[in-house]
Amino acid sequence: MIMPSDAIEVRVDGPVGTVTLGRPDHGNALTRAMIAELRTALDDLYREKRVRAVVLTGRGEAFCLGRDVGEQAAESTNPADDLARWGAEAEEYRDLVAAMLELPKPIVAAVSGPAEAGGAGLVLASDVAVGCPGAGFGFPEPRRGVVAGVAAPLLAWRLGAGAAARLLLTSETISAEEAHRIGVYHELVGADLVWARASEVGNQAAQAAPEAVQLTKRLLWETIGEQLATQLSNGAIASAMARTTEAAKEGLNAHLGDREPEWP
């Protein structure tokens, strides 16, 4: 089945549903509409009883390069409108991450290209991640004058405070091999095999009793859910606050203009 937007495609192969980000000419960068459609896709696959696992992947050379910078950098003539929009954008991404964590079906990220910023957050929100040699991973937000607020607590939870500090404070995009070494990717395969291997993992999960798998994932979430949910909300607030600064304006415009920022 195909979603109304060309940017999100959903299909079902036996017990595995695949959600594909479909903006390859833009590095599968997330617009607000795509984030809403991803939520809808997850809800639909949750209700589809024959689906027991979900694969999340991207079309083209990138998995996902984060939020659409052009959409982020756009400003209105009313600062109050911009502030409200920045807050809403941060909350929408937070809600998507929370929905992935709470979904009582395993999510396997099939990462066949770079995963950066909000795209890297989608990898961390998945239960299992299969990468390939070209799947670099990182959070370049500080170089754009903004903050990876929602991803920060998720990164610390998955990898530990030390790895989180390194990635978030240096803005470094690490190689797929390094991401595999520190535990971002559970395994690496050839780029042409990523979706197939992720689908295999989904089918492995589907061989177990559905109720047992769903209860297990719910237990994993509830073990850390309350604390992490609060941290994700705090992170969304930090992201929105960072967008009010002159550094954010300069950083995003510099990125769009393919130049080095001149920090105020």
Side-chain angles (χ1 to χ4, degrees):
M1 58 182 169
I2 305 296
M3 297 293 292
S5 168
D6 292 336
I8 299 292
E9 178 180 332
V10 181
R11 79 184 203 194
V12 175
D13 301 283
V16 177
T18 297
V19 181
T20 303
L21 307 177
R23 297 182 74 211
D25 294 341
H26 298 83
N28 294 319
L30 299 169
T31 63
R32 294 183 71 180
M34 286 176 69
I35 289 174
E37 288 158 9
L38 276 171
R39 289 287 310 277
T40 299
L42 292 175
D43 288 343
D44 288 345
L45 292 174
Y46 166 68
R47 293 184 177 89
E48 183 64 61
K49 291 185 177 180
R50 60 177 167 152
V51 172
R52 299 186 184 180
V54 176
V55 171
L56 176 63
T57 192
R59 187 149 44 91
E61 297 181 355
F63 172 74
C64 178
L65 298 183
R67 289 296 312 276
D68 185 283
V69 177
E71 187 178 70
Q72 280 190 307
E75 294 186 358
S76 71
T77 57
N78 187 340
D81 290 342
D82 288 329
L83 184 59
R85 177 171 62 85
W86 295 333
E89 288 176 352
E91 290 176 357
E92 288 160 1
Y93 181 70
R94 176 205 62 194
D95 291 346
L96 171 61
V97 167
M100 293 176 66
L101 293 168
E102 293 181 44
L103 186 74
K105 298 181 181 182
I107 299 177
V108 185
V111 190
S112 57
E116 298 181 358
L122 296 183
V123 174
L124 295 171
S126 301
D127 301 294
V128 181
V130 178
C132 70
F137 180 89
F139 294 91
E141 282 92 335
R143 293 182 185 174
R144 301 173 188 172
V146 292
V147 174
V150 175
L154 192 57
L155 185 63
W157 172 56
R158 292 288 194 198
L159 303 181
R166 170 195 172 188
L167 288 170
L168 294 170
L169 297 178
T170 66
S171 305
E172 178 185 6
T173 295
I174 59 176
S175 69
E177 290 76 15
E178 176 66 4
H180 179 231
R181 186 189 71 82
I182 65 175
V184 174
Y185 301 132
H186 296 93
E187 58 183 287
L188 297 179
V189 298
D192 58 337
L193 300 174
V194 171
W195 177 84
R197 177 57 187 146
S199 185
E200 285 181 357
V201 174
N203 275 284
Q204 286 177 338
Q207 293 173 15
E211 295 84 355
V213 172
Q214 291 176 16
L215 286 171
T216 298
K217 180 157 183 186
R218 184 171 298 156
L219 177 62
L220 289 171
W221 166 246
E222 290 176 350
T223 299
I224 48 82
E226 183 175 353
Q227 181 180 5
L228 185 57
T230 299
Q231 293 171 347
L232 292 175
S233 295
N234 291 340
I237 293 171
S239 292
M241 289 180 61
R243 291 289 306 282
T244 68
T245 66
E246 287 299 314
K249 183 176 180 179
E250 167 62 13
L252 292 170
N253 286 332
H255 181 71
L256 283 172
D258 196 25
R259 61 175 174 82
E260 290 297 319
E262 297 179 6
W263 301 120

